[in-house]
PDB file of all heavy atoms in Angstrom:
ATOM      1  N   MET A   1     -24.241   2.844  58.958  1.00  0.00           N
ATOM      2  CA  MET A   1     -23.490   3.264  57.778  1.00  0.00           C
ATOM      3  C   MET A   1     -24.013   4.596  57.261  1.00  0.00           C
ATOM      4  O   MET A   1     -25.198   4.847  57.278  1.00  0.00           O
ATOM      5  CB  MET A   1     -23.653   2.192  56.695  1.00  0.00           C
ATOM      6  CG  MET A   1     -22.819   2.496  55.489  1.00  0.00           C
ATOM      7  SD  MET A   1     -23.094   1.292  54.177  1.00  0.00           S
ATOM      8  CE  MET A   1     -22.736  -0.219  55.018  1.00  0.00           C
ATOM      9  N   LYS A   2     -23.095   5.431  56.798  1.00  0.00           N
ATOM     10  CA  LYS A   2     -23.490   6.715  56.244  1.00  0.00           C
ATOM     11  C   LYS A   2     -24.083   6.484  54.858  1.00  0.00           C
ATOM     12  O   LYS A   2     -23.505   5.758  54.066  1.00  0.00           O
ATOM     13  CB  LYS A   2     -22.243   7.587  56.120  1.00  0.00           C
ATOM     14  CG  LYS A   2     -22.522   9.063  56.095  1.00  0.00           C
ATOM     15  CD  LYS A   2     -21.268   9.829  56.455  1.00  0.00           C
ATOM     16  CE  LYS A   2     -20.486  10.227  55.230  1.00  0.00           C
ATOM     17  NZ  LYS A   2     -19.267  10.912  55.501  1.00  0.00           N
ATOM     18  N   ILE A   3     -25.230   7.039  54.574  1.00  0.00           N
ATOM     19  CA  ILE A   3     -25.762   6.935  53.204  1.00  0.00           C
ATOM     20  C   ILE A   3     -25.158   8.094  52.438  1.00  0.00           C
ATOM     21  O   ILE A   3     -25.345   9.259  52.769  1.00  0.00           O
ATOM     22  CB  ILE A   3     -27.291   6.992  53.168  1.00  0.00           C
ATOM     23  CG1 ILE A   3     -27.858   5.802  53.926  1.00  0.00           C
ATOM     24  CG2 ILE A   3     -27.806   6.992  51.730  1.00  0.00           C
ATOM     25  CD1 ILE A   3     -27.516   4.444  53.384  1.00  0.00           C
ATOM     26  N   ALA A   4     -24.403   7.743  51.409  1.00  0.00           N
ATOM     27  CA  ALA A   4     -23.437   8.636  50.804  1.00  0.00           C
ATOM     28  C   ALA A   4     -23.956  10.028  50.504  1.00  0.00           C
ATOM     29  O   ALA A   4     -23.687  10.980  51.205  1.00  0.00           O
ATOM     30  CB  ALA A   4     -22.933   8.011  49.526  1.00  0.00           C
ATOM     31  N   HIS A   5     -24.720  10.127  49.488  1.00  0.00           N
ATOM     32  CA  HIS A   5     -24.913  11.437  48.921  1.00  0.00           C
ATOM     33  C   HIS A   5     -26.383  11.650  48.694  1.00  0.00           C
ATOM     34  O   HIS A   5     -26.987  11.000  47.885  1.00  0.00           O
ATOM     35  CB  HIS A   5     -24.126  11.541  47.620  1.00  0.00           C
ATOM     36  CG  HIS A   5     -22.753  11.043  47.817  1.00  0.00           C
ATOM     37  ND1 HIS A   5     -21.866  11.680  48.629  1.00  0.00           N
ATOM     38  CD2 HIS A   5     -22.150   9.909  47.399  1.00  0.00           C
ATOM     39  CE1 HIS A   5     -20.759  10.974  48.671  1.00  0.00           C
ATOM     40  NE2 HIS A   5     -20.905   9.898  47.940  1.00  0.00           N
ATOM     41  N   GLU A   6     -26.947  12.556  49.454  1.00  0.00           N
ATOM     42  CA  GLU A   6     -28.351  12.855  49.277  1.00  0.00           C
ATOM     43  C   GLU A   6     -28.553  13.352  47.860  1.00  0.00           C
ATOM     44  O   GLU A   6     -27.850  14.249  47.411  1.00  0.00           O
ATOM     45  CB  GLU A   6     -28.773  13.934  50.273  1.00  0.00           C
ATOM     46  CG  GLU A   6     -28.711  13.476  51.718  1.00  0.00           C
ATOM     47  CD  GLU A   6     -29.645  12.315  51.987  1.00  0.00           C
ATOM     48  OE1 GLU A   6     -30.707  12.243  51.365  1.00  0.00           O
ATOM     49  OE2 GLU A   6     -29.290  11.450  52.815  1.00  0.00           O
ATOM     50  N   PRO A   7     -29.511  12.806  47.144  1.00  0.00           N
ATOM     51  CA  PRO A   7     -29.685  13.209  45.755  1.00  0.00           C
ATOM     52  C   PRO A   7     -30.021  14.682  45.575  1.00  0.00           C
ATOM     53  O   PRO A   7     -29.767  15.258  44.554  1.00  0.00           O
ATOM     54  CB  PRO A   7     -30.841  12.330  45.274  1.00  0.00           C
ATOM     55  CG  PRO A   7     -31.431  11.730  46.489  1.00  0.00           C
ATOM     56  CD  PRO A   7     -30.393  11.737  47.546  1.00  0.00           C
ATOM     57  N   VAL A 150     -20.466   1.217  38.983  1.00  0.00           N
ATOM     58  CA  VAL A 150     -20.278   1.141  40.432  1.00  0.00           C
ATOM     59  C   VAL A 150     -18.843   1.547  40.774  1.00  0.00           C
ATOM     60  O   VAL A 150     -17.889   1.009  40.207  1.00  0.00           O
ATOM     61  CB  VAL A 150     -20.534  -0.287  40.961  1.00  0.00           C
ATOM     62  CG1 VAL A 150     -20.470  -0.301  42.479  1.00  0.00           C
ATOM     63  CG2 VAL A 150     -21.877  -0.798  40.488  1.00  0.00           C
ATOM     64  N   CYS A 151     -18.721   2.512  41.684  1.00  0.00           N
ATOM     65  CA  CYS A 151     -17.396   2.951  42.136  1.00  0.00           C
ATOM     66  C   CYS A 151     -17.159   2.424  43.545  1.00  0.00           C
ATOM     67  O   CYS A 151     -18.043   2.521  44.400  1.00  0.00           O
ATOM     68  CB  CYS A 151     -17.315   4.468  42.236  1.00  0.00           C
ATOM     69  SG  CYS A 151     -17.565   5.305  40.686  1.00  0.00           S
ATOM     70  N   GLN A 152     -15.976   1.891  43.760  1.00  0.00           N
ATOM     71  CA  GLN A 152     -15.575   1.506  45.115  1.00  0.00           C
ATOM     72  C   GLN A 152     -14.279   2.272  45.403  1.00  0.00           C
ATOM     73  O   GLN A 152     -13.272   2.066  44.726  1.00  0.00           O
ATOM     74  CB  GLN A 152     -15.335   0.003  45.160  1.00  0.00           C
ATOM     75  CG  GLN A 152     -15.357  -0.551  46.561  1.00  0.00           C
ATOM     76  CD  GLN A 152     -15.513  -2.057  46.566  1.00  0.00           C
ATOM     77  OE1 GLN A 152     -14.636  -2.755  46.057  1.00  0.00           O
ATOM     78  NE2 GLN A 152     -16.589  -2.558  47.120  1.00  0.00           N
ATOM     79  N   LEU A 153     -14.352   3.148  46.396  1.00  0.00           N
ATOM     80  CA  LEU A 153     -13.201   4.013  46.697  1.00  0.00           C
ATOM     81  C   LEU A 153     -12.571   3.522  47.993  1.00  0.00           C
ATOM     82  O   LEU A 153     -13.168   3.617  49.057  1.00  0.00           O
ATOM     83  CB  LEU A 153     -13.681   5.465  46.810  1.00  0.00           C
ATOM     84  CG  LEU A 153     -14.476   5.959  45.583  1.00  0.00           C
ATOM     85  CD1 LEU A 153     -15.024   7.351  45.799  1.00  0.00           C
ATOM     86  CD2 LEU A 153     -13.627   5.900  44.317  1.00  0.00           C
ATOM     87  N   ASP A 159     -11.010   8.568  47.758  1.00  0.00           N
ATOM     88  CA  ASP A 159     -12.162   9.220  48.382  1.00  0.00           C
ATOM     89  C   ASP A 159     -12.157  10.728  48.100  1.00  0.00           C
ATOM     90  O   ASP A 159     -13.182  11.315  47.758  1.00  0.00           O
ATOM     91  CB  ASP A 159     -12.108   8.959  49.892  1.00  0.00           C
ATOM     92  CG  ASP A 159     -13.427   9.243  50.567  1.00  0.00           C
ATOM     93  OD1 ASP A 159     -14.289   8.355  50.549  1.00  0.00           O
ATOM     94  OD2 ASP A 159     -13.596  10.368  51.090  1.00  0.00           O
ATOM     95  N   ARG A 162     -13.374  11.821  44.648  1.00  0.00           N
ATOM     96  CA  ARG A 162     -14.685  11.290  44.262  1.00  0.00           C
ATOM     97  C   ARG A 162     -15.400  12.151  43.211  1.00  0.00           C
ATOM     98  O   ARG A 162     -15.856  11.668  42.190  1.00  0.00           O
ATOM     99  CB  ARG A 162     -15.562  11.155  45.504  1.00  0.00           C
ATOM    100  CG  ARG A 162     -16.983  10.722  45.189  1.00  0.00           C
ATOM    101  CD  ARG A 162     -17.840  10.650  46.435  1.00  0.00           C
ATOM    102  NE  ARG A 162     -17.513   9.513  47.282  1.00  0.00           N
ATOM    103  CZ  ARG A 162     -16.852   9.587  48.428  1.00  0.00           C
ATOM    104  NH1 ARG A 162     -16.449  10.745  48.904  1.00  0.00           N
ATOM    105  NH2 ARG A 162     -16.594   8.505  49.121  1.00  0.00           N
ATOM    106  N   ILE A 178     -24.581   6.227  38.216  1.00  0.00           N
ATOM    107  CA  ILE A 178     -23.378   5.876  38.985  1.00  0.00           C
ATOM    108  C   ILE A 178     -23.747   5.640  40.449  1.00  0.00           C
ATOM    109  O   ILE A 178     -24.470   6.447  41.064  1.00  0.00           O
ATOM    110  CB  ILE A 178     -22.305   6.985  38.874  1.00  0.00           C
ATOM    111  CG1 ILE A 178     -22.048   7.307  37.382  1.00  0.00           C
ATOM    112  CG2 ILE A 178     -21.009   6.564  39.560  1.00  0.00           C
ATOM    113  CD1 ILE A 178     -21.151   8.516  37.162  1.00  0.00           C
ATOM    114  N   TYR A 179     -23.236   4.551  40.995  1.00  0.00           N
ATOM    115  CA  TYR A 179     -23.561   4.141  42.364  1.00  0.00           C
ATOM    116  C   TYR A 179     -22.248   3.902  43.119  1.00  0.00           C
ATOM    117  O   TYR A 179     -21.273   3.420  42.535  1.00  0.00           O
ATOM    118  CB  TYR A 179     -24.372   2.840  42.299  1.00  0.00           C
ATOM    119  CG  TYR A 179     -25.004   2.417  43.603  1.00  0.00           C
ATOM    120  CD1 TYR A 179     -26.208   2.965  44.030  1.00  0.00           C
ATOM    121  CD2 TYR A 179     -24.394   1.440  44.398  1.00  0.00           C
ATOM    122  CE1 TYR A 179     -26.790   2.561  45.219  1.00  0.00           C
ATOM    123  CE2 TYR A 179     -24.966   1.040  45.598  1.00  0.00           C
ATOM    124  CZ  TYR A 179     -26.171   1.604  46.001  1.00  0.00           C
ATOM    125  OH  TYR A 179     -26.745   1.219  47.170  1.00  0.00           O
ATOM    126  N   GLU A 180     -22.228   4.220  44.400  1.00  0.00           N
ATOM    127  CA  GLU A 180     -21.008   3.976  45.184  1.00  0.00           C
ATOM    128  C   GLU A 180     -21.201   2.789  46.102  1.00  0.00           C
ATOM    129  O   GLU A 180     -22.206   2.687  46.801  1.00  0.00           O
ATOM    130  CB  GLU A 180     -20.643   5.230  45.994  1.00  0.00           C
ATOM    131  CG  GLU A 180     -19.410   4.999  46.857  1.00  0.00           C
ATOM    132  CD  GLU A 180     -18.731   6.264  47.344  1.00  0.00           C
ATOM    133  OE1 GLU A 180     -19.229   7.367  47.061  1.00  0.00           O
ATOM    134  OE2 GLU A 180     -17.678   6.127  48.019  1.00  0.00           O
ATOM    135  N   ARG A 181     -20.215   1.884  46.109  1.00  0.00           N
ATOM    136  CA  ARG A 181     -20.226   0.716  47.006  1.00  0.00           C
ATOM    137  C   ARG A 181     -18.939   0.697  47.836  1.00  0.00           C
ATOM    138  O   ARG A 181     -18.171  -0.256  47.803  1.00  0.00           O
ATOM    139  CB  ARG A 181     -20.287  -0.568  46.175  1.00  0.00           C
ATOM    140  CG  ARG A 181     -21.651  -1.147  45.849  1.00  0.00           C
ATOM    141  CD  ARG A 181     -22.527  -1.555  47.020  1.00  0.00           C
ATOM    142  NE  ARG A 181     -22.050  -2.655  47.843  1.00  0.00           N
ATOM    143  CZ  ARG A 181     -22.286  -3.937  47.629  1.00  0.00           C
ATOM    144  NH1 ARG A 181     -22.971  -4.321  46.592  1.00  0.00           N
ATOM    145  NH2 ARG A 181     -21.852  -4.862  48.464  1.00  0.00           N
ATOM    146  N   SER A 182     -18.698   1.782  48.554  1.00  0.00           N
ATOM    147  CA  SER A 182     -17.474   1.838  49.360  1.00  0.00           C
ATOM    148  C   SER A 182     -17.745   1.287  50.757  1.00  0.00           C
ATOM    149  O   SER A 182     -17.456   1.927  51.771  1.00  0.00           O
ATOM    150  CB  SER A 182     -16.959   3.281  49.427  1.00  0.00           C
ATOM    151  OG  SER A 182     -16.725   3.774  48.146  1.00  0.00           O
ATOM    152  N   ASP A 183     -18.355   0.093  50.800  1.00  0.00           N
ATOM    153  CA  ASP A 183     -18.695  -0.512  52.090  1.00  0.00           C
ATOM    154  C   ASP A 183     -17.713  -1.644  52.396  1.00  0.00           C
ATOM    155  O   ASP A 183     -18.099  -2.788  52.539  1.00  0.00           O
ATOM    156  CB  ASP A 183     -20.141  -1.024  52.076  1.00  0.00           C
ATOM    157  CG  ASP A 183     -20.453  -1.907  50.873  1.00  0.00           C
ATOM    158  OD1 ASP A 183     -19.677  -1.907  49.909  1.00  0.00           O
ATOM    159  OD2 ASP A 183     -21.482  -2.606  50.897  1.00  0.00           O
ATOM    160  N   VAL A 184     -16.446  -1.274  52.456  1.00  0.00           N
ATOM    161  CA  VAL A 184     -15.411  -2.292  52.654  1.00  0.00           C
ATOM    162  C   VAL A 184     -14.542  -1.946  53.862  1.00  0.00           C
ATOM    163  O   VAL A 184     -14.278  -0.778  54.131  1.00  0.00           O
ATOM    164  CB  VAL A 184     -14.507  -2.407  51.397  1.00  0.00           C
ATOM    165  CG1 VAL A 184     -15.096  -3.317  50.367  1.00  0.00           C
ATOM    166  CG2 VAL A 184     -14.227  -1.054  50.804  1.00  0.00           C
ATOM    167  N   ARG A 187     -11.320   0.493  54.249  1.00  0.00           N
ATOM    168  CA  ARG A 187     -11.426   1.956  54.404  1.00  0.00           C
ATOM    169  C   ARG A 187     -11.090   2.395  55.823  1.00  0.00           C
ATOM    170  O   ARG A 187     -10.600   3.501  56.033  1.00  0.00           O
ATOM    171  CB  ARG A 187     -12.828   2.442  54.017  1.00  0.00           C
ATOM    172  CG  ARG A 187     -12.984   2.640  52.520  1.00  0.00           C
ATOM    173  CD  ARG A 187     -14.409   2.953  52.159  1.00  0.00           C
ATOM    174  NE  ARG A 187     -14.899   4.221  52.672  1.00  0.00           N
ATOM    175  CZ  ARG A 187     -14.881   5.385  52.006  1.00  0.00           C
ATOM    176  NH1 ARG A 187     -14.381   5.439  50.807  1.00  0.00           N
ATOM    177  NH2 ARG A 187     -15.373   6.478  52.553  1.00  0.00           N
ATOM    178  N   GLU A 193     -14.998   6.208  56.658  1.00  0.00           N
ATOM    179  CA  GLU A 193     -16.222   5.452  56.979  1.00  0.00           C
ATOM    180  C   GLU A 193     -16.727   4.709  55.753  1.00  0.00           C
ATOM    181  O   GLU A 193     -16.445   5.128  54.632  1.00  0.00           O
ATOM    182  CB  GLU A 193     -17.329   6.451  57.338  1.00  0.00           C
ATOM    183  CG  GLU A 193     -17.256   7.032  58.705  1.00  0.00           C
ATOM    184  CD  GLU A 193     -18.459   7.943  58.907  1.00  0.00           C
ATOM    185  OE1 GLU A 193     -19.590   7.434  58.930  1.00  0.00           O
ATOM    186  OE2 GLU A 193     -18.256   9.160  59.019  1.00  0.00           O
ATOM    187  N   PRO A 194     -17.517   3.650  55.961  1.00  0.00           N
ATOM    188  CA  PRO A 194     -18.150   3.026  54.797  1.00  0.00           C
ATOM    189  C   PRO A 194     -19.210   3.951  54.193  1.00  0.00           C
ATOM    190  O   PRO A 194     -19.885   4.669  54.935  1.00  0.00           O
ATOM    191  CB  PRO A 194     -18.796   1.752  55.360  1.00  0.00           C
ATOM    192  CG  PRO A 194     -18.825   1.926  56.827  1.00  0.00           C
ATOM    193  CD  PRO A 194     -17.836   2.965  57.210  1.00  0.00           C
ATOM    194  N   ILE A 195     -19.326   3.927  52.894  1.00  0.00           N
ATOM    195  CA  ILE A 195     -20.297   4.779  52.202  1.00  0.00           C
ATOM    196  C   ILE A 195     -20.945   3.991  51.072  1.00  0.00           C
ATOM    197  O   ILE A 195     -20.257   3.313  50.317  1.00  0.00           O
ATOM    198  CB  ILE A 195     -19.608   6.025  51.587  1.00  0.00           C
ATOM    199  CG1 ILE A 195     -19.048   6.935  52.674  1.00  0.00           C
ATOM    200  CG2 ILE A 195     -20.573   6.810  50.710  1.00  0.00           C
ATOM    201  CD1 ILE A 195     -18.370   8.181  52.152  1.00  0.00           C
ATOM    202  N   THR A 196     -22.281   4.081  50.958  1.00  0.00           N
ATOM    203  CA  THR A 196     -22.953   3.531  49.780  1.00  0.00           C
ATOM    204  C   THR A 196     -24.050   4.494  49.343  1.00  0.00           C
ATOM    205  O   THR A 196     -24.569   5.251  50.163  1.00  0.00           O
ATOM    206  CB  THR A 196     -23.637   2.166  50.049  1.00  0.00           C
ATOM    207  OG1 THR A 196     -24.632   2.357  51.044  1.00  0.00           O
ATOM    208  CG2 THR A 196     -22.675   1.105  50.496  1.00  0.00           C
ATOM    209  N   GLY A 197     -24.389   4.444  48.085  1.00  0.00           N
ATOM    210  CA  GLY A 197     -25.495   5.276  47.598  1.00  0.00           C
ATOM    211  C   GLY A 197     -25.275   5.764  46.180  1.00  0.00           C
ATOM    212  O   GLY A 197     -24.206   5.591  45.616  1.00  0.00           O
ATOM    213  N   TRP A 198     -26.312   6.364  45.634  1.00  0.00           N
ATOM    214  CA  TRP A 198     -26.222   6.886  44.264  1.00  0.00           C
ATOM    215  C   TRP A 198     -25.340   8.120  44.218  1.00  0.00           C
ATOM    216  O   TRP A 198     -25.420   8.971  45.103  1.00  0.00           O
ATOM    217  CB  TRP A 198     -27.615   7.241  43.743  1.00  0.00           C
ATOM    218  CG  TRP A 198     -28.465   6.049  43.492  1.00  0.00           C
ATOM    219  CD1 TRP A 198     -29.462   5.561  44.275  1.00  0.00           C
ATOM    220  CD2 TRP A 198     -28.379   5.166  42.364  1.00  0.00           C
ATOM    221  NE1 TRP A 198     -29.989   4.423  43.711  1.00  0.00           N
ATOM    222  CE2 TRP A 198     -29.352   4.163  42.534  1.00  0.00           C
ATOM    223  CE3 TRP A 198     -27.568   5.115  41.224  1.00  0.00           C
ATOM    224  CZ2 TRP A 198     -29.538   3.129  41.614  1.00  0.00           C
ATOM    225  CZ3 TRP A 198     -27.746   4.093  40.304  1.00  0.00           C
ATOM    226  CH2 TRP A 198     -28.714   3.112  40.502  1.00  0.00           C
ATOM    227  N   LEU A 199     -24.548   8.228  43.174  1.00  0.00           N
ATOM    228  CA  LEU A 199     -23.731   9.428  42.947  1.00  0.00           C
ATOM    229  C   LEU A 199     -24.336  10.275  41.828  1.00  0.00           C
ATOM    230  O   LEU A 199     -23.866  11.363  41.547  1.00  0.00           O
ATOM    231  CB  LEU A 199     -22.296   9.022  42.587  1.00  0.00           C
ATOM    232  CG  LEU A 199     -21.486   8.415  43.741  1.00  0.00           C
ATOM    233  CD1 LEU A 199     -20.297   7.631  43.244  1.00  0.00           C
ATOM    234  CD2 LEU A 199     -21.022   9.515  44.685  1.00  0.00           C
ATOM    235  N   THR A 206     -31.714  -1.222  41.736  1.00  0.00           N
ATOM    236  CA  THR A 206     -30.261  -1.393  41.633  1.00  0.00           C
ATOM    237  C   THR A 206     -29.939  -2.709  40.925  1.00  0.00           C
ATOM    238  O   THR A 206     -28.814  -3.184  40.978  1.00  0.00           O
ATOM    239  CB  THR A 206     -29.621  -1.385  43.044  1.00  0.00           C
ATOM    240  OG1 THR A 206     -30.356  -2.306  43.875  1.00  0.00           O
ATOM    241  CG2 THR A 206     -29.647  -0.002  43.663  1.00  0.00           C
ATOM    242  N   ILE A 221     -26.423  -4.346  42.154  1.00  0.00           N
ATOM    243  CA  ILE A 221     -25.204  -3.606  42.542  1.00  0.00           C
ATOM    244  C   ILE A 221     -25.238  -3.146  44.001  1.00  0.00           C
ATOM    245  O   ILE A 221     -24.197  -2.832  44.572  1.00  0.00           O
ATOM    246  CB  ILE A 221     -24.959  -2.391  41.615  1.00  0.00           C
ATOM    247  CG1 ILE A 221     -26.165  -1.448  41.616  1.00  0.00           C
ATOM    248  CG2 ILE A 221     -24.614  -2.857  40.203  1.00  0.00           C
ATOM    249  CD1 ILE A 221     -25.885  -0.093  41.000  1.00  0.00           C
ATOM    250  N   ALA A 222     -26.420  -3.130  44.622  1.00  0.00           N
ATOM    251  CA  ALA A 222     -26.483  -2.723  46.030  1.00  0.00           C
ATOM    252  C   ALA A 222     -26.381  -3.927  46.961  1.00  0.00           C
ATOM    253  O   ALA A 222     -25.749  -3.868  48.012  1.00  0.00           O
ATOM    254  CB  ALA A 222     -27.777  -1.974  46.304  1.00  0.00           C
ATOM    255  N   LYS A 223     -26.995  -5.069  46.534  1.00  0.00           N
ATOM    256  CA  LYS A 223     -27.078  -6.215  47.447  1.00  0.00           C
ATOM    257  C   LYS A 223     -26.026  -7.278  47.154  1.00  0.00           C
ATOM    258  O   LYS A 223     -25.711  -8.103  48.013  1.00  0.00           O
ATOM    259  CB  LYS A 223     -28.465  -6.851  47.338  1.00  0.00           C
ATOM    260  CG  LYS A 223     -29.578  -5.907  47.755  1.00  0.00           C
ATOM    261  CD  LYS A 223     -30.917  -6.639  47.861  1.00  0.00           C
ATOM    262  CE  LYS A 223     -32.079  -5.678  47.826  1.00  0.00           C
ATOM    263  NZ  LYS A 223     -33.003  -5.927  46.716  1.00  0.00           N
ATOM    264  N   GLY A 224     -25.496  -7.312  45.936  1.00  0.00           N
ATOM    265  CA  GLY A 224     -24.561  -8.371  45.564  1.00  0.00           C
ATOM    266  C   GLY A 224     -23.229  -8.250  46.289  1.00  0.00           C
ATOM    267  O   GLY A 224     -22.903  -7.206  46.857  1.00  0.00           O
ATOM    268  N   LYS A 226     -19.151  -7.872  46.713  1.00  0.00           N
ATOM    269  CA  LYS A 226     -18.207  -6.921  46.091  1.00  0.00           C
ATOM    270  C   LYS A 226     -18.971  -5.726  45.517  1.00  0.00           C
ATOM    271  O   LYS A 226     -19.689  -5.061  46.225  1.00  0.00           O
ATOM    272  CB  LYS A 226     -17.353  -7.623  45.039  1.00  0.00           C
ATOM    273  CG  LYS A 226     -16.657  -8.860  45.638  1.00  0.00           C
ATOM    274  CD  LYS A 226     -15.329  -9.202  45.146  1.00  0.00           C
ATOM    275  CE  LYS A 226     -14.987  -9.462  43.763  1.00  0.00           C
ATOM    276  NZ  LYS A 226     -13.613  -9.855  43.551  1.00  0.00           N
TER     277      LYS A 226
END
Side-chain angles (χ1 to χ4, degrees):
M1 185 184 304
K2 203 160 93 182
I3 297 298
H5 312 294
E6 294 298 327
V150 186
C151 298
Q152 199 164 63
L153 306 175
D159 196 83
R162 175 182 287 106
I178 308 172
Y179 191 82
E180 178 162 2
R181 269 299 295 272
S182 302
D183 51 345
V184 275
R187 277 173 66 94
E193 282 183 66
I195 295 180
T196 62
W198 290 102
L199 290 161
T206 50
I221 57 167
K223 298 190 199 121
K226 306 214 303 183

